Amino acid sequence: MLHSKLKVAAKPILLSALAVSACLAATVSWAKSDYPSHAITLITPYSTGGDSDLAARNFSAVAQKYLGQPVVVVNKPGASGVIGSDQGRLANPDGYTLLLSRPGSQAILPAISPTKTKYKWSDFTPIGLLELNPYGCYVRGDSPYKNFKDLEKALHAKGAKMNYGTAGALTTNDMGPKLLFDTLKLGDKVPTQIPYKGTGEATSALLAGQIDFSCSSIGPANGLIKAGNLRALFVTTPERLKSLPDVPTSKELGLAKMEQITGWSGISGPPGMPAEIVAKLWKAMEETGKDAAWIRATENAGSVPFIKGPTDAKTFTQGQYEVYHELGKSLGLIDQVK
């Protein structure tokens, strides 16, 4: 009798538990379908004024039209992009905290400094790619180095007494010069790297005469180059840039290997993001990529629109990781950079 009563009593409890479970499932489903219901934070892992910052702000200004909510850019610079990237990785996978992906933080660091980097290249949810950033090296407008040959002669003569600015170790700003020095076979005449928190700060230091040259995505320096404040010595694109037709390509100068170095931006999220949210974000990215205002802002920043979805973004990032891993091995850099 007691056993029978327990069975009868258990039925309401079971039904109640099932009802709660169904209610929770419905709430989660509703939350996903309602996404986004408030502002989205977009972390950029470098300081203001650089190509990552420009990419994030150009995206946020237009994407909110297609998401129906503000996209708030938050700069989290430090440790060559690791600090901001790791915050993006550890965020709640609800789609309200995203990361502006960059080659330094998402491919180079995991490839060359795996034991010191807190994450792997694959520890993020890829949402899409935004743009490519033509890369090059430049000096101050009044520099005695009128062209690359002038700089090359100086490097061979007194390279160890020279310096260059970067956005930190193991960024494209750093890897480009490392590959350049190896190609030029400078030996013990390698210049000293002066690391900053972002490309903008490195460019400011160059303008102030604190460093001899810098290499980075050309976009943020484009206006300064056209105004004569900076002088571009070469770009790593296969063809000369339409915006800088007088600047030779690295291949023209016999530096074809430098074409491996290029900048790019994408959007990613923490691991475990629901597929429905990823799809909504990608749809907004896709619409943003067709928007004339975004295209104009991206091109004005010296970048090339390169809208690709989650699958292509994952394949591209893996390819970049493999390029820099091989480059790191050839230069003897794997886990050697402090």
Side-chain angles (χ1 to χ4, degrees), residues 114-132:
T115 62
K116 299 182 181 73
T117 304
K118 299 178 180 180
Y119 50 81
K120 299 177 182 178
W121 74 268
S122 55
D123 283 349
F124 299 86
T125 297
I127 296 166
L129 294 172
L130 283 171
E131 61 176 26
L132 297 176

Side-chain angles (χ1 to χ4, degrees), residues 174-216:
D174 172 35
M175 291 304 296
K178 277 184 166 59
L179 180 58
L180 178 64
F181 303 152
D182 184 68
T183 302
L184 296 177
K185 303 187 186 310
L186 292 186
D188 60 357
K189 294 181 179 178
V190 171
T192 299
Q193 178 189 165
I194 309 297
Y196 297 90
K197 289 185 177 180
T199 304
E201 292 182 18
T203 303
S204 295
L206 180 59
L207 289 168
Q210 297 169 359
I211 53 178
D212 295 304
F213 68 96
S214 189
C215 299
S216 71

Side-chain angles (χ1 to χ4, degrees), residues 129-151:
L129 294 172
L130 283 171
E131 61 176 26
L132 297 176
N133 313 122
Y135 185 92
C137 293
Y138 43 91
V139 294
R140 208 163 78 159
D142 59 359
S143 168
Y145 313 125
K146 304 301 181 185
N147 51 49
F148 176 71
K149 289 300 178 184
D150 289 342
L151 177 62

Side-chain angles (χ1 to χ4, degrees), residues 17-335:
L18 288 173
V20 170
S21 177
C23 183
L24 286 173
T27 300
V28 171
S29 176
W30 175 85
K32 289 181 184 178
S33 63
D34 189 53
Y35 174 85
S37 61
H38 57 82
I40 296 169
T41 296
L42 176 59
I43 296 173
T44 177
Y46 299 99
S47 62
T48 58
D51 30 27
S52 60
D53 183 57
L54 291 174
R57 294 182 190 283
N58 287 339
F59 174 73
S60 69
V62 177
Q64 60 185 358
K65 182 195 308 184
Y66 302 103
L67 286 166
Q69 294 291 341
V71 178
V72 181
V73 176
V74 177
N75 296 84
K76 293 286 184 179
S80 299
V82 169
I83 291 175
S85 296
D86 204 43
Q87 286 189 14
R89 178 178 70 92
L90 297 174
N92 190 319
D94 57 5
Y96 288 102
T97 300
L98 305 175
L99 175 68
L100 195 285
S101 307
R102 294 293 299 171
S105 48
Q106 268 54 66
I108 300 175
L109 280 159
I112 294 180
S113 190
T115 62
K116 299 182 181 73
T117 304
K118 299 178 180 180
Y119 50 81
K120 299 177 182 178
W121 74 268
S122 55
D123 283 349
F124 299 86
T125 297
I127 296 166
L129 294 172
L130 283 171
E131 61 176 26
L132 297 176
N133 313 122
Y135 185 92
C137 293
Y138 43 91
V139 294
R140 208 163 78 159
D142 59 359
S143 168
Y145 313 125
K146 304 301 181 185
N147 51 49
F148 176 71
K149 289 300 178 184
D150 289 342
L151 177 62
E152 182 180 1
K153 288 177 184 177
L155 289 170
H156 281 292
K158 57 174 183 177
K161 297 180 181 179
M162 299 174 67
N163 57 35
Y164 64 101
T166 75
L170 301 185
T171 59
T172 53
N173 302 43
D174 172 35
M175 291 304 296
K178 277 184 166 59
L179 180 58
L180 178 64
F181 303 152
D182 184 68
T183 302
L184 296 177
K185 303 187 186 310
L186 292 186
D188 60 357
K189 294 181 179 178
V190 171
T192 299
Q193 178 189 165
I194 309 297
Y196 297 90
K197 289 185 177 180
T199 304
E201 292 182 18
T203 303
S204 295
L206 180 59
L207 289 168
Q210 297 169 359
I211 53 178
D212 295 304
F213 68 96
S214 189
C215 299
S216 71
S217 297
I218 287 289
N222 215 20
L224 292 167
I225 293 169
K226 289 181 177 180
N229 301 107
L230 295 176
R231 181 185 302 120
L233 303 180
F234 68 81
V235 292
T236 64
T237 48
E239 305 292 336
R240 292 193 181 197
L241 295 175
K242 290 180 181 179
S243 59
L244 300 171
D246 297 328
V247 179
T249 67
S250 55
K251 184 184 291 184
E252 289 179 66
L253 299 173
L255 305 168
K257 281 187 177 181
M258 292 298 296
E259 288 188 352
Q260 295 179 78
I261 311 295
T262 189
W264 51 270
S265 298
I267 303 291
S268 59
M273 286 181 66
E276 183 180 342
I277 290 178
V278 172
K280 285 191 173 185
L281 286 167
W282 162 235
K283 180 63 176 175
M285 282 189 69
E286 196 173 26
E287 292 300 319
T288 299
K290 299 173 186 175
D291 193 290
W294 178 81
I295 293 171
R296 184 168 57 253
T298 299
E299 291 178 342
N300 286 343
S303 299
V304 178
F306 191 65
I307 299 293
K308 302 290 180 182
T311 301
D312 288 336
K314 180 179 179 180
T315 301
F316 181 86
T317 306
Q318 182 176 4
Q320 283 280 285
Y321 166 84
E322 291 169 353
V323 162
Y324 286 108
H325 186 67
E326 289 303 311
L327 181 57
K329 286 197 297 184
S330 70
L331 297 178
L333 295 175
I334 304 296
D335 274 328

